[in-house]
Amino acid sequence: MSLWEYANPKKFMDTSARLLPWFTGLAAITLVVGLVWGFFFTPDDFRQGSTVKIIYLHVPSAMMAINIWVMMLVTSLIWLVRRHHVSALAAKAAAPIGITMTLIALFTGAIWGQPMWGTWWVWDPRLTSFLMLFLFYLGYIALWEAIDNPDTAADLTAVLCLVGSVFALLSRYAVLFWNQGLHQGASLSLDAEENVHDVFWLPLVVSIVGFVLFFVALLLMRTRTEIRARRLQALQARERMA
């Protein structure tokens, strides 16, 4: 079985219809377990106090904001190379989810930063590049809405996605590029010394898994909607020509 079979809209619709209930159910379970565990059953940090618990929203949403853009880049490149409409529609469907994750990350980061840094916002390299990522999400969505021809819109948004990927990478690695930034390093790392304590780490991992499953469920749902909308547009175009 080839992966490219799922580029066929009918194959995608049939498969996603079977998978969607599973992803939705697993997302609900893991999100509830991770967030309730993190917010209500972990202790306060000896330095950050109860504000440390914002990581159960901030870290997963920030990770998803960046990785959703990477997913959009991959599907956009598939569209440019192979012209599979499902990949272009998947990228379009992912953008509103990505911008929502970016907003959650920016908002929760401000809540954490005010007591820790004494200000809601600083022009830290990672924060600045993350704000730029939000603007690229906004521009991507606006570009899809501004162009009537869907194939032209897919081409132009794919190019925009490629350019915006620079800021997605900067958001992820800005702390490594600019050591003078205020933003802390990664909460999860292959280096055990950089990870948060296990009492925070375990519910954080569950929350991240929940966010990933939630994104997949929303992506399947929204892509199915985009495919139906494309079919409706095609039918309406045929009726006008008849």
Side-chain angles (χ1 to χ4, degrees):
M1 181 180 294
S2 171
L3 181 64
W4 301 115
E5 290 182 21
Y6 298 98
N8 180 287
K10 185 178 186 307
K11 178 72 172 180
F12 177 86
M13 293 293 282
D14 292 342
T15 305
S16 61
R18 294 193 299 269
L19 294 177
L20 187 55
W22 289 96
F23 278 106
T24 303
L26 289 172
I29 293 170
T30 49
L31 277 176
V32 170
V33 170
L35 294 178
V36 171
W37 184 3
F39 278 100
F40 297 103
F41 295 98
T42 57
D44 293 347
D45 183 69
F46 74 101
R47 288 182 179 175
Q48 301 181 36
S50 61
T51 58
V52 71
K53 298 184 181 183
I54 204 73
I55 65 172
Y56 303 113
L57 284 174
H58 178 70
V59 173
S61 59
M63 291 178 64
M64 292 309 302
I66 297 168
N67 289 321
I68 289 172
W69 190 273
V70 173
M71 169 260 162
M72 290 164 55
L73 171 65
V74 172
T75 52
S76 295
L77 290 175
I78 292 173
W79 161 254
L80 290 175
V81 174
R82 301 185 69 102
R83 313 303 284 184
H84 290 320
H85 286 88
V86 171
S87 61
L89 294 177
K92 180 184 180 182
I97 310 171
I99 198 172
T100 303
M101 292 294 178
T102 308
L103 283 172
I104 294 173
L106 288 170
F107 182 71
T108 54
I111 293 175
W112 179 87
Q114 205 284 326
M116 293 299 104
W117 298 340
T119 180
W120 297 100
W121 178 265
V122 292
W123 292 102
D124 174 270
R126 176 172 283 186
L127 297 183
T128 304
S129 58
F130 214 78
L131 178 61
M132 292 298 295
L133 179 60
F134 167 76
L135 296 177
F136 268 97
Y137 266 121
L138 200 61
Y140 181 93
I141 295 170
L143 190 56
W144 264 108
E145 296 298 324
I147 300 174
D148 292 331
N149 186 293
D151 287 355
T152 303
D155 289 337
L156 294 178
T157 53
V159 174
L160 179 63
C161 193
L162 179 61
V163 175
S165 298
V166 174
F167 291 94
L169 290 173
L170 286 179
S171 298
R172 176 65 182 85
Y173 296 108
V175 172
L176 301 179
F177 295 157
W178 295 284
N179 292 327
Q180 70 270 25
L182 288 175
H183 199 288
Q184 68 187 60
S187 298
L188 296 174
S189 170
L190 294 176
D191 184 355
E193 294 182 359
E194 294 186 15
N195 281 324
V196 295
H197 192 276
D198 283 353
V199 71
F200 302 114
W201 183 82
L202 292 173
L204 177 57
V205 170
V206 176
S207 296
I208 291 172
V209 171
F211 268 75
V212 172
L213 292 172
F214 184 51
F215 163 67
V216 174
L218 288 178
L219 178 65
L220 292 176
M221 198 179 305
R222 287 187 52 79
T223 304
R224 289 169 60 83
T225 301
E226 292 293 342
I227 291 173
R228 291 191 180 104
R230 179 65 67 90
R231 288 175 175 173
L232 181 60
Q233 289 174 356
L235 289 173
Q236 290 174 340
R238 290 176 185 174
E239 289 177 357
R240 285 195 296 269
M241 294 176 64

mmCIF file of all heavy atoms in Angstrom, residues 43-85:
data_model
loop_
_atom_site.group_PDB
_atom_site.id
_atom_site.type_symbol
_atom_site.label_atom_id
_atom_site.label_comp_id
_atom_site.label_asym_id
_atom_site.label_seq_id
_atom_site.Cartn_x
_atom_site.Cartn_y
_atom_site.Cartn_z
ATOM 1 N N PRO A 43 2.931 19.775 42.740
ATOM 2 C CA PRO A 43 3.233 20.815 43.735
ATOM 3 C C PRO A 43 3.670 22.117 43.079
ATOM 4 O O PRO A 43 3.988 22.153 41.883
ATOM 5 C CB PRO A 43 4.397 20.198 44.525
ATOM 6 C CG PRO A 43 5.087 19.322 43.518
ATOM 7 C CD PRO A 43 3.995 18.753 42.653
ATOM 8 N N ASP A 44 3.686 23.186 43.838
ATOM 9 C CA ASP A 44 4.244 24.452 43.375
ATOM 10 C C ASP A 44 5.760 24.335 43.292
ATOM 11 O O ASP A 44 6.385 23.600 44.064
ATOM 12 C CB ASP A 44 3.874 25.590 44.327
ATOM 13 C CG ASP A 44 2.384 25.890 44.310
ATOM 14 O OD1 ASP A 44 1.695 25.394 43.402
ATOM 15 O OD2 ASP A 44 1.924 26.612 45.219
ATOM 16 N N ASP A 45 6.343 25.051 42.355
ATOM 17 C CA ASP A 45 7.801 25.071 42.229
ATOM 18 C C ASP A 45 8.403 25.958 43.328
ATOM 19 O O ASP A 45 7.809 26.965 43.722
ATOM 20 C CB ASP A 45 8.187 25.613 40.851
ATOM 21 C CG ASP A 45 9.680 25.588 40.613
ATOM 22 O OD1 ASP A 45 10.246 24.496 40.484
ATOM 23 O OD2 ASP A 45 10.273 26.684 40.562
ATOM 24 N N PHE A 46 9.591 25.585 43.815
ATOM 25 C CA PHE A 46 10.185 26.340 44.924
ATOM 26 C C PHE A 46 10.632 27.732 44.494
ATOM 27 O O PHE A 46 10.812 28.614 45.336
ATOM 28 C CB PHE A 46 11.358 25.563 45.534
ATOM 29 C CG PHE A 46 12.607 25.559 44.700
ATOM 30 C CD1 PHE A 46 13.669 26.405 44.998
ATOM 31 C CD2 PHE A 46 12.730 24.700 43.622
ATOM 32 C CE1 PHE A 46 14.833 26.410 44.236
ATOM 33 C CE2 PHE A 46 13.887 24.691 42.844
ATOM 34 C CZ PHE A 46 14.935 25.541 43.162
ATOM 35 N N ARG A 47 10.803 27.961 43.179
ATOM 36 C CA ARG A 47 11.175 29.289 42.691
ATOM 37 C C ARG A 47 10.000 30.005 42.028
ATOM 38 O O ARG A 47 9.755 31.175 42.278
ATOM 39 C CB ARG A 47 12.329 29.187 41.689
ATOM 40 C CG ARG A 47 13.669 28.846 42.320
ATOM 41 C CD ARG A 47 14.748 28.805 41.258
ATOM 42 N NE ARG A 47 16.061 28.503 41.827
ATOM 43 C CZ ARG A 47 17.157 28.319 41.106
ATOM 44 N NH1 ARG A 47 17.098 28.395 39.771
ATOM 45 N NH2 ARG A 47 18.310 28.055 41.697
ATOM 46 N N GLN A 48 9.296 29.302 41.163
ATOM 47 C CA GLN A 48 8.244 29.928 40.361
ATOM 48 C C GLN A 48 6.862 29.863 41.013
ATOM 49 O O GLN A 48 5.931 30.503 40.530
ATOM 50 C CB GLN A 48 8.178 29.264 38.983
ATOM 51 C CG GLN A 48 9.471 29.338 38.203
ATOM 52 C CD GLN A 48 9.350 28.696 36.837
ATOM 53 O OE1 GLN A 48 8.312 28.779 36.180
ATOM 54 N NE2 GLN A 48 10.405 28.041 36.385
ATOM 55 N N GLY A 49 6.742 29.103 42.087
ATOM 56 C CA GLY A 49 5.451 28.971 42.742
ATOM 57 C C GLY A 49 4.432 28.284 41.853
ATOM 58 O O GLY A 49 4.773 27.406 41.045
ATOM 59 N N SER A 50 3.168 28.691 41.936
ATOM 60 C CA SER A 50 2.105 28.055 41.154
ATOM 61 C C SER A 50 2.156 28.425 39.677
ATOM 62 O O SER A 50 1.543 27.757 38.842
ATOM 63 C CB SER A 50 0.730 28.432 41.726
ATOM 64 O OG SER A 50 0.533 29.836 41.666
ATOM 65 N N THR A 51 2.920 29.490 39.332
ATOM 66 C CA THR A 51 2.988 29.901 37.920
ATOM 67 C C THR A 51 3.657 28.848 37.046
ATOM 68 O O THR A 51 3.483 28.874 35.828
ATOM 69 C CB THR A 51 3.759 31.232 37.776
ATOM 70 O OG1 THR A 51 5.076 31.078 38.321
ATOM 71 C CG2 THR A 51 3.046 32.359 38.492
ATOM 72 N N VAL A 52 4.404 27.931 37.650
ATOM 73 C CA VAL A 52 5.060 26.885 36.871
ATOM 74 C C VAL A 52 4.035 26.032 36.127
ATOM 75 O O VAL A 52 4.332 25.454 35.069
ATOM 76 C CB VAL A 52 5.952 26.001 37.771
ATOM 77 C CG1 VAL A 52 5.094 25.116 38.682
ATOM 78 C CG2 VAL A 52 6.880 25.131 36.933
ATOM 79 N N LYS A 53 2.805 25.965 36.649
ATOM 80 C CA LYS A 53 1.799 25.082 36.067
ATOM 81 C C LYS A 53 1.298 25.570 34.711
ATOM 82 O O LYS A 53 0.593 24.841 34.010
ATOM 83 C CB LYS A 53 0.641 24.903 37.046
ATOM 84 C CG LYS A 53 1.098 24.241 38.351
ATOM 85 C CD LYS A 53 -0.053 23.970 39.299
ATOM 86 C CE LYS A 53 0.459 23.324 40.585
ATOM 87 N NZ LYS A 53 -0.632 22.966 41.507
ATOM 88 N N ILE A 54 1.673 26.776 34.335
ATOM 89 C CA ILE A 54 1.294 27.285 33.019
ATOM 90 C C ILE A 54 1.958 26.477 31.911
ATOM 91 O O ILE A 54 1.526 26.502 30.754
ATOM 92 C CB ILE A 54 1.664 28.788 32.887
ATOM 93 C CG1 ILE A 54 0.784 29.469 31.811
ATOM 94 C CG2 ILE A 54 3.133 28.981 32.562
ATOM 95 C CD1 ILE A 54 -0.625 29.681 32.238
ATOM 96 N N ILE A 55 3.017 25.712 32.270
ATOM 97 C CA ILE A 55 3.723 24.922 31.252
ATOM 98 C C ILE A 55 2.815 23.883 30.612
ATOM 99 O O ILE A 55 3.055 23.479 29.469
ATOM 100 C CB ILE A 55 4.989 24.227 31.808
ATOM 101 C CG1 ILE A 55 4.620 23.182 32.873
ATOM 102 C CG2 ILE A 55 5.986 25.227 32.324
ATOM 103 C CD1 ILE A 55 5.805 22.330 33.310
ATOM 104 N N TYR A 56 1.772 23.441 31.318
ATOM 105 C CA TYR A 56 0.906 22.404 30.762
ATOM 106 C C TYR A 56 0.031 22.922 29.624
ATOM 107 O O TYR A 56 -0.534 22.127 28.870
ATOM 108 C CB TYR A 56 0.046 21.790 31.876
ATOM 109 C CG TYR A 56 0.896 21.223 32.979
ATOM 110 C CD1 TYR A 56 0.885 21.790 34.249
ATOM 111 C CD2 TYR A 56 1.760 20.158 32.736
ATOM 112 C CE1 TYR A 56 1.695 21.299 35.258
ATOM 113 C CE2 TYR A 56 2.577 19.664 33.736
ATOM 114 C CZ TYR A 56 2.543 20.237 34.991
ATOM 115 O OH TYR A 56 3.365 19.753 35.978
ATOM 116 N N LEU A 57 -0.072 24.228 29.498
ATOM 117 C CA LEU A 57 -0.709 24.843 28.335
ATOM 118 C C LEU A 57 0.315 25.475 27.408
ATOM 119 O O LEU A 57 0.230 25.334 26.182
ATOM 120 C CB LEU A 57 -1.719 25.910 28.780
ATOM 121 C CG LEU A 57 -3.052 25.428 29.345
ATOM 122 C CD1 LEU A 57 -3.854 26.618 29.853
ATOM 123 C CD2 LEU A 57 -3.844 24.672 28.299
ATOM 124 N N HIS A 58 1.292 26.166 28.009
ATOM 125 C CA HIS A 58 2.227 26.949 27.206
ATOM 126 C C HIS A 58 3.155 26.072 26.371
ATOM 127 O O HIS A 58 3.300 26.301 25.152
ATOM 128 C CB HIS A 58 3.060 27.845 28.123
ATOM 129 C CG HIS A 58 4.079 28.661 27.391
ATOM 130 N ND1 HIS A 58 3.731 29.713 26.571
ATOM 131 C CD2 HIS A 58 5.439 28.564 27.332
ATOM 132 C CE1 HIS A 58 4.824 30.237 26.040
ATOM 133 N NE2 HIS A 58 5.867 29.556 26.484
ATOM 134 N N VAL A 59 3.767 25.091 26.989
ATOM 135 C CA VAL A 59 4.734 24.260 26.261
ATOM 136 C C VAL A 59 4.073 23.469 25.138
ATOM 137 O O VAL A 59 4.550 23.498 23.990
ATOM 138 C CB VAL A 59 5.505 23.335 27.224
ATOM 139 C CG1 VAL A 59 6.378 22.343 26.454
ATOM 140 C CG2 VAL A 59 6.369 24.157 28.179
ATOM 141 N N PRO A 60 2.963 22.746 25.389
ATOM 142 C CA PRO A 60 2.339 22.012 24.269
ATOM 143 C C PRO A 60 1.847 22.923 23.142
ATOM 144 O O PRO A 60 2.025 22.595 21.963
ATOM 145 C CB PRO A 60 1.167 21.280 24.935
ATOM 146 C CG PRO A 60 1.520 21.195 26.374
ATOM 147 C CD PRO A 60 2.281 22.447 26.663
ATOM 148 N N SER A 61 1.247 24.062 23.495
ATOM 149 C CA SER A 61 0.732 24.953 22.447
ATOM 150 C C SER A 61 1.872 25.560 21.632
ATOM 151 O O SER A 61 1.757 25.694 20.399
ATOM 152 C CB SER A 61 -0.137 26.059 23.054
ATOM 153 O OG SER A 61 0.586 26.840 23.978
ATOM 154 N N ALA A 62 2.979 25.921 22.292
ATOM 155 C CA ALA A 62 4.128 26.468 21.564
ATOM 156 C C ALA A 62 4.738 25.424 20.638
ATOM 157 O O ALA A 62 5.083 25.716 19.483
ATOM 158 C CB ALA A 62 5.172 26.985 22.558
ATOM 159 N N MET A 63 4.871 24.200 21.135
ATOM 160 C CA MET A 63 5.398 23.122 20.293
ATOM 161 C C MET A 63 4.488 22.881 19.094
ATOM 162 O O MET A 63 4.969 22.711 17.965
ATOM 163 C CB MET A 63 5.539 21.840 21.118
ATOM 164 C CG MET A 63 6.629 21.888 22.176
ATOM 165 S SD MET A 63 6.702 20.359 23.148
ATOM 166 C CE MET A 63 7.162 19.176 21.880
ATOM 167 N N MET A 64 3.177 22.863 19.330
ATOM 168 C CA MET A 64 2.244 22.606 18.234
ATOM 169 C C MET A 64 2.243 23.750 17.231
ATOM 170 O O MET A 64 2.148 23.519 16.024
ATOM 171 C CB MET A 64 0.838 22.392 18.785
ATOM 172 C CG MET A 64 0.659 21.119 19.592
ATOM 173 S SD MET A 64 1.247 19.635 18.741
ATOM 174 C CE MET A 64 0.266 19.673 17.248
ATOM 175 N N ALA A 65 2.342 24.990 17.699
ATOM 176 C CA ALA A 65 2.348 26.138 16.785
ATOM 177 C C ALA A 65 3.480 26.004 15.772
ATOM 178 O O ALA A 65 3.298 26.253 14.572
ATOM 179 C CB ALA A 65 2.493 27.433 17.575
ATOM 180 N N ILE A 66 4.654 25.609 16.249
ATOM 181 C CA ILE A 66 5.810 25.462 15.370
ATOM 182 C C ILE A 66 5.671 24.238 14.474
ATOM 183 O O ILE A 66 5.882 24.292 13.256
ATOM 184 C CB ILE A 66 7.102 25.381 16.205
ATOM 185 C CG1 ILE A 66 7.306 26.679 16.987
ATOM 186 C CG2 ILE A 66 8.308 25.089 15.315
ATOM 187 C CD1 ILE A 66 8.382 26.589 18.048
ATOM 188 N N ASN A 67 5.300 23.109 15.066
ATOM 189 C CA ASN A 67 5.245 21.859 14.304
ATOM 190 C C ASN A 67 4.093 21.842 13.307
ATOM 191 O O ASN A 67 4.194 21.190 12.263
ATOM 192 C CB ASN A 67 5.134 20.673 15.269
ATOM 193 C CG ASN A 67 6.420 20.440 16.029
ATOM 194 O OD1 ASN A 67 7.499 20.563 15.474
ATOM 195 N ND2 ASN A 67 6.316 20.127 17.312
ATOM 196 N N ILE A 68 3.014 22.559 13.609
ATOM 197 C CA ILE A 68 1.925 22.661 12.623
ATOM 198 C C ILE A 68 2.412 23.411 11.393
ATOM 199 O O ILE A 68 2.082 23.043 10.256
ATOM 200 C CB ILE A 68 0.696 23.350 13.245
ATOM 201 C CG1 ILE A 68 0.027 22.416 14.264
ATOM 202 C CG2 ILE A 68 -0.318 23.748 12.164
ATOM 203 C CD1 ILE A 68 -1.076 23.067 15.066
ATOM 204 N N TRP A 69 3.207 24.464 11.602
ATOM 205 C CA TRP A 69 3.746 25.177 10.438
ATOM 206 C C TRP A 69 4.659 24.264 9.625
ATOM 207 O O TRP A 69 4.642 24.295 8.387
ATOM 208 C CB TRP A 69 4.494 26.433 10.873
ATOM 209 C CG TRP A 69 4.851 27.298 9.699
ATOM 210 C CD1 TRP A 69 5.967 27.199 8.915
ATOM 211 C CD2 TRP A 69 4.067 28.354 9.138
ATOM 212 N NE1 TRP A 69 5.932 28.130 7.909
ATOM 213 C CE2 TRP A 69 4.778 28.851 8.021
ATOM 214 C CE3 TRP A 69 2.840 28.931 9.481
ATOM 215 C CZ2 TRP A 69 4.299 29.899 7.254
ATOM 216 C CZ3 TRP A 69 2.368 29.973 8.707
ATOM 217 C CH2 TRP A 69 3.092 30.447 7.607
ATOM 218 N N VAL A 70 5.452 23.433 10.300
ATOM 219 C CA VAL A 70 6.314 22.479 9.590
ATOM 220 C C VAL A 70 5.464 21.494 8.802
ATOM 221 O O VAL A 70 5.777 21.162 7.650
ATOM 222 C CB VAL A 70 7.237 21.741 10.585
ATOM 223 C CG1 VAL A 70 8.017 20.637 9.870
ATOM 224 C CG2 VAL A 70 8.192 22.709 11.261
ATOM 225 N N MET A 71 4.379 21.027 9.408
ATOM 226 C CA MET A 71 3.462 20.133 8.692
ATOM 227 C C MET A 71 2.885 20.819 7.465
ATOM 228 O O MET A 71 2.769 20.228 6.376
ATOM 229 C CB MET A 71 2.348 19.682 9.645
ATOM 230 C CG MET A 71 1.178 18.963 8.969
ATOM 231 S SD MET A 71 -0.213 20.098 8.725
ATOM 232 C CE MET A 71 -1.160 19.216 7.493
ATOM 233 N N MET A 72 2.517 22.105 7.614
ATOM 234 C CA MET A 72 2.003 22.872 6.476
ATOM 235 C C MET A 72 3.056 23.009 5.388
ATOM 236 O O MET A 72 2.739 22.959 4.189
ATOM 237 C CB MET A 72 1.541 24.250 6.947
ATOM 238 C CG MET A 72 0.284 24.225 7.801
ATOM 239 S SD MET A 72 0.007 25.779 8.710
ATOM 240 C CE MET A 72 0.030 26.981 7.364
ATOM 241 N N LEU A 73 4.312 23.184 5.792
ATOM 242 C CA LEU A 73 5.396 23.274 4.814
ATOM 243 C C LEU A 73 5.513 21.981 4.013
ATOM 244 O O LEU A 73 5.615 22.006 2.777
ATOM 245 C CB LEU A 73 6.719 23.571 5.529
ATOM 246 C CG LEU A 73 7.976 23.486 4.666
ATOM 247 C CD1 LEU A 73 7.963 24.546 3.582
ATOM 248 C CD2 LEU A 73 9.234 23.625 5.527
ATOM 249 N N VAL A 74 5.484 20.842 4.697
ATOM 250 C CA VAL A 74 5.621 19.551 4.021
ATOM 251 C C VAL A 74 4.476 19.329 3.044
ATOM 252 O O VAL A 74 4.691 18.961 1.875
ATOM 253 C CB VAL A 74 5.684 18.408 5.055
ATOM 254 C CG1 VAL A 74 5.637 17.046 4.359
ATOM 255 C CG2 VAL A 74 6.950 18.522 5.895
ATOM 256 N N THR A 75 3.250 19.568 3.499
ATOM 257 C CA THR A 75 2.109 19.348 2.613
ATOM 258 C C THR A 75 2.078 20.358 1.466
ATOM 259 O O THR A 75 1.642 20.032 0.359
ATOM 260 C CB THR A 75 0.790 19.412 3.412
ATOM 261 O OG1 THR A 75 0.753 20.624 4.184
ATOM 262 C CG2 THR A 75 0.654 18.225 4.346
ATOM 263 N N SER A 76 2.567 21.572 1.712
ATOM 264 C CA SER A 76 2.639 22.573 0.641
ATOM 265 C C SER A 76 3.657 22.166 -0.411
ATOM 266 O O SER A 76 3.423 22.338 -1.621
ATOM 267 C CB SER A 76 3.002 23.944 1.220
ATOM 268 O OG SER A 76 1.996 24.425 2.072
ATOM 269 N N LEU A 77 4.786 21.624 0.028
ATOM 270 C CA LEU A 77 5.803 21.152 -0.925
ATOM 271 C C LEU A 77 5.276 19.968 -1.731
ATOM 272 O O LEU A 77 5.562 19.848 -2.934
ATOM 273 C CB LEU A 77 7.083 20.762 -0.174
ATOM 274 C CG LEU A 77 7.881 21.922 0.423
ATOM 275 C CD1 LEU A 77 9.056 21.400 1.240
ATOM 276 C CD2 LEU A 77 8.374 22.871 -0.664
ATOM 277 N N ILE A 78 4.513 19.087 -1.078
ATOM 278 C CA ILE A 78 3.897 17.977 -1.814
ATOM 279 C C ILE A 78 2.961 18.514 -2.892
ATOM 280 O O ILE A 78 2.936 18.014 -4.022
ATOM 281 C CB ILE A 78 3.135 17.049 -0.842
ATOM 282 C CG1 ILE A 78 4.122 16.313 0.068
ATOM 283 C CG2 ILE A 78 2.274 16.040 -1.618
ATOM 284 C CD1 ILE A 78 3.462 15.504 1.165
ATOM 285 N N TRP A 79 2.213 19.549 -2.548
ATOM 286 C CA TRP A 79 1.330 20.166 -3.545
ATOM 287 C C TRP A 79 2.123 20.726 -4.716
ATOM 288 O O TRP A 79 1.770 20.514 -5.882
ATOM 289 C CB TRP A 79 0.499 21.265 -2.900
ATOM 290 C CG TRP A 79 -0.076 22.241 -3.899
ATOM 291 C CD1 TRP A 79 0.339 23.522 -4.135
ATOM 292 C CD2 TRP A 79 -1.126 21.994 -4.836
ATOM 293 N NE1 TRP A 79 -0.391 24.100 -5.137
ATOM 294 C CE2 TRP A 79 -1.306 23.184 -5.595
ATOM 295 C CE3 TRP A 79 -1.943 20.897 -5.112
ATOM 296 C CZ2 TRP A 79 -2.260 23.281 -6.593
ATOM 297 C CZ3 TRP A 79 -2.895 21.006 -6.116
ATOM 298 C CH2 TRP A 79 -3.043 22.186 -6.843
ATOM 299 N N LEU A 80 3.209 21.449 -4.419
ATOM 300 C CA LEU A 80 4.000 22.063 -5.485
ATOM 301 C C LEU A 80 4.640 21.012 -6.384
ATOM 302 O O LEU A 80 4.751 21.215 -7.602
ATOM 303 C CB LEU A 80 5.084 22.955 -4.876
ATOM 304 C CG LEU A 80 4.607 24.251 -4.206
ATOM 305 C CD1 LEU A 80 5.783 24.960 -3.555
ATOM 306 C CD2 LEU A 80 3.906 25.168 -5.214
ATOM 307 N N VAL A 81 5.056 19.896 -5.814
ATOM 308 C CA VAL A 81 5.773 18.877 -6.584
ATOM 309 C C VAL A 81 4.814 17.909 -7.277
ATOM 310 O O VAL A 81 4.948 17.610 -8.457
ATOM 311 C CB VAL A 81 6.756 18.112 -5.675
ATOM 312 C CG1 VAL A 81 7.406 16.954 -6.437
ATOM 313 C CG2 VAL A 81 7.829 19.044 -5.128
ATOM 314 N N ARG A 82 3.815 17.426 -6.535
ATOM 315 C CA ARG A 82 2.959 16.347 -7.050
ATOM 316 C C ARG A 82 1.529 16.784 -7.373
ATOM 317 O O ARG A 82 0.753 16.003 -7.936
ATOM 318 C CB ARG A 82 2.935 15.178 -6.066
ATOM 319 C CG ARG A 82 4.308 14.580 -5.794
ATOM 320 C CD ARG A 82 4.180 13.358 -4.912
ATOM 321 N NE ARG A 82 3.531 12.273 -5.643
ATOM 322 C CZ ARG A 82 4.170 11.228 -6.173
ATOM 323 N NH1 ARG A 82 5.493 11.141 -6.062
ATOM 324 N NH2 ARG A 82 3.514 10.270 -6.794
ATOM 325 N N ARG A 83 1.165 18.013 -6.973
ATOM 326 C CA ARG A 83 -0.153 18.579 -7.285
ATOM 327 C C ARG A 83 -1.288 17.734 -6.717
ATOM 328 O O ARG A 83 -2.319 17.534 -7.363
ATOM 329 C CB ARG A 83 -0.343 18.767 -8.794
ATOM 330 C CG ARG A 83 0.801 19.434 -9.528
ATOM 331 C CD ARG A 83 1.123 20.793 -8.949
ATOM 332 N NE ARG A 83 0.169 21.820 -9.322
ATOM 333 C CZ ARG A 83 0.302 23.102 -8.981
ATOM 334 N NH1 ARG A 83 1.343 23.488 -8.234
ATOM 335 N NH2 ARG A 83 -0.598 23.998 -9.347
ATOM 336 N N HIS A 84 -1.125 17.244 -5.513
ATOM 337 C CA HIS A 84 -2.191 16.515 -4.830
ATOM 338 C C HIS A 84 -3.057 17.510 -4.067
ATOM 339 O O HIS A 84 -2.585 18.173 -3.141
ATOM 340 C CB HIS A 84 -1.615 15.477 -3.869
ATOM 341 C CG HIS A 84 -0.963 14.311 -4.545
ATOM 342 N ND1 HIS A 84 -1.491 13.729 -5.674
ATOM 343 C CD2 HIS A 84 0.153 13.610 -4.250
ATOM 344 C CE1 HIS A 84 -0.714 12.719 -6.055
ATOM 345 N NE2 HIS A 84 0.291 12.625 -5.203
ATOM 346 N N HIS A 85 -4.335 17.583 -4.414
ATOM 347 C CA HIS A 85 -5.202 18.587 -3.809
ATOM 348 C C HIS A 85 -5.423 18.358 -2.315
ATOM 349 O O HIS A 85 -5.569 19.313 -1.552
ATOM 350 C CB HIS A 85 -6.554 18.632 -4.536
ATOM 351 C CG HIS A 85 -6.497 19.276 -5.876
ATOM 352 N ND1 HIS A 85 -6.201 18.587 -7.025
ATOM 353 C CD2 HIS A 85 -6.660 20.579 -6.249
ATOM 354 C CE1 HIS A 85 -6.204 19.417 -8.057
ATOM 355 N NE2 HIS A 85 -6.481 20.621 -7.624
#
